[in-house]
Amino acid sequence: MEYSQQTKKLRLDFRSVSRRGRPMDDTDELLAQLCTRIGIMMEDASAVAITGAMMTADERNRAVLEVADAASRIAALSEAAVSLINQGTVAAPHH
């Protein structure tokens, strides 16, 4: 997907409104929302993964599939965030 189409889709997906009630006016806000969503998904997936030892074999199998699905979604959102950074719309961190 072309960068401008990707950005447009992300803005539509996030409804162009921040959780603070003001319109999303820049890519920094979009990047912050992507990172927040990634963090929430990671936290939820880790809770499922950690409790695997207490599950039956069938429950554990479903949990592993759930964690794998979350990992795929996290990777996709991470790729979108990296794309925003690499397009020069957000200052890349200095190492």
Side-chain angles (χ1 to χ4, degrees):
M1 185 181 301
E2 187 179 313
Y3 170 72
S4 61
Q5 291 173 327
Q6 219 175 18
T7 301
K8 183 176 180 181
K9 178 162 178 16
L10 288 170
R11 289 184 194 279
L12 290 174
D13 288 348
F14 282 96
R15 302 199 197 317
S16 296
V17 177
S18 76
R19 294 178 194 251
R20 294 186 297 269
R22 64 177 174 73
M24 186 186 317
D25 56 357
D26 60 12
T27 304
D28 288 337
E29 180 74 14
L30 178 57
L31 185 59
Q33 286 191 23
L34 284 168
C35 290
T36 299
R37 182 74 54 99
I38 289 166
I40 290 168
M41 292 170 69
M42 290 173 67
E43 184 176 0
D44 291 347
S46 69
V48 172
I50 290 169
T51 58
M54 299 179 289
M55 298 176 182
T56 66
D58 286 342
E59 291 171 331
R60 190 171 32 255
N61 291 345
R62 282 191 298 275
V64 168
L65 293 173
E66 184 179 332
V67 170
D69 180 58
S72 293
R73 290 183 285 128
I74 290 165
L77 291 177
S78 298
E79 186 176 317
V82 168
S83 177
L84 288 172
I85 292 168
N86 287 338
Q87 291 299 320
T89 56
V90 177
H94 299 289
H95 293 255

